[in-house]
Amino acid sequence: MVTEAAIAGFRAGYTTIAGLPTWHEVGGEGPTVVLLHGGFTGASSWVAQAPALVSAGFRVHVPERRGHAHTGDVDGPLTYEVMATDTIAYLEAETAGQAHLVGWSDGAVVALLVALRRPDLVGRTVLIGQYYNSSGRVPDSDLFRLLRSEEAKSFLRQGYDPVSPDGSGHFEAVYAKMMAMFDAEPEIDLATLAAVRTPALVLQGDRDEVTLEHSAAAAAALGDARLAVLPGTHGLPVEQPDLVNLLLISFLRGTVPAPSWVQPSE
């Protein structure tokens, strides 16, 4: 099993959360930021953001959820609610006071559910490149067609097999759980987002897997949110890391200009 840190300079290893050995990588000092990865990925997907946030004066936690990368799978279906419950347990055990949450793709759904269920644990929230119910999913998405291909399965397996504590033979079980989740979830009523009172940034690429209309509706439904659309696709933190990092740091520090700053003058 690979045990070295994927993010240079971060302490990496297992912590036990609700009985499950959970891999996480931690670095820096300052206000706490928890980075929540997307589906089929792990801490290494944040390699362009985690060091930048540490350099900006944040303490950064990057946990890997059940069935992902170094963290083992658990019997039963994989759902966003289950992953949100795991994340709440992680925050209670590993972070002191409120933590800012930054979620990308599946991680954005998890972050949103945590903010809805446990606002006492959450400071600011950044939600990147994700729809929150099926009305916001881009029709005939290239990403979801790709995920069902043998080429994609082979690629994902190459990342899973060397690090999973469940061994290479378990990939098919995790893949089936993930695809079942994608087919059925998420289905969050945007009207419920008004309960999230902490500041939020909804961020997406201009050709992402979520429609611009849905992201705008999600930002409008949240109690205190802004929408930012950047050039790029579903890999925005990888494709535009400098721009994403600038927005993250500014927003998490509370220094993003007021919305009127970006409106065209009359």
Side-chain angles (χ1 to χ4, degrees):
M1 185 192 312
V2 176
T3 56
E4 61 269 15
I7 301 174
F10 275 57
R11 301 180 301 280
Y14 286 99
T15 181
T16 300
I17 303 297
L20 175 65
T22 299
W23 180 271
H24 68 157
E25 303 181 14
V26 183
E29 297 297 335
T32 301
V33 178
V34 178
L35 302 178
L36 301 173
H37 59 76
F40 292 114
T41 66
S44 62
S45 63
W46 291 109
V47 69
Q49 281 68 51
L53 288 166
V54 166
S55 295
F58 293 98
R59 178 176 178 82
V60 179
H61 290 244
V62 198
E64 294 181 340
R65 296 188 297 279
R66 62 171 66 189
H68 288 76
H70 301 79
T71 299
D73 190 21
V74 177
D75 288 342
L78 192 59
T79 69
Y80 289 113
E81 286 288 355
V82 163
M83 292 190 290
T85 297
D86 289 347
T87 302
I88 288 169
Y90 179 83
L91 295 175
E92 290 176 331
E94 295 294 332
T95 66
Q98 288 189 333
H100 303 310
L101 302 184
V102 180
W104 177 12
S105 192
D106 282 1
V109 180
V110 173
L112 187 59
L113 291 173
V114 173
L116 283 166
R117 289 170 51 183
R118 290 295 304 273
D120 57 306
L121 297 175
V122 181
R124 292 172 173 257
T125 305
V126 181
L127 309 171
I128 304 175
Q130 179 61 40
Y131 55 90
Y132 304 101
N133 59 55
S134 53
S135 72
R137 181 170 165 173
V138 171
D140 300 319
S141 163
D142 289 338
L143 175 63
F144 287 97
R145 282 202 302 272
L146 176 63
L147 283 175
R148 286 179 164 80
S149 70
E150 289 302 317
E151 292 81 2
K153 285 183 68 176
S154 176
F155 175 79
L156 294 171
R157 188 192 300 275
Q158 290 174 29
Y160 179 90
D161 286 356
V163 299
S164 172
D166 296 320
S168 60
H170 195 71
F171 175 77
E172 288 292 340
V174 168
Y175 178 82
K177 289 183 182 185
M178 291 291 291
M179 299 310 295
M181 185 180 74
F182 293 155
D183 286 340
E185 301 184 46
E187 288 296 349
I188 301 171
D189 183 351
L190 295 187
T192 66
L193 304 192
V196 179
R197 306 309 304 176
T198 57
L201 175 64
V202 179
L203 177 61
Q204 76 162 87
D206 56 356
R207 294 178 294 161
D208 221 321
E209 302 304 316
V210 53
T211 67
L212 296 176
E213 293 80 6
H214 184 79
S215 289
L222 287 159
D224 178 9
R226 302 172 189 184
L227 171 65
V229 181
L230 304 180
T233 60
H234 199 60
L236 196 57
V238 174
E239 294 176 15
Q240 296 286 342
D242 292 341
L243 189 51
V244 169
N245 292 349
L246 177 63
L247 281 174
L248 288 182
I249 292 166
S250 296
F251 178 74
L252 295 175
R253 284 176 173 169
T255 57
V256 172
S260 59
W261 180 79
V262 297
Q263 297 299 318
S265 57
E266 295 182 359

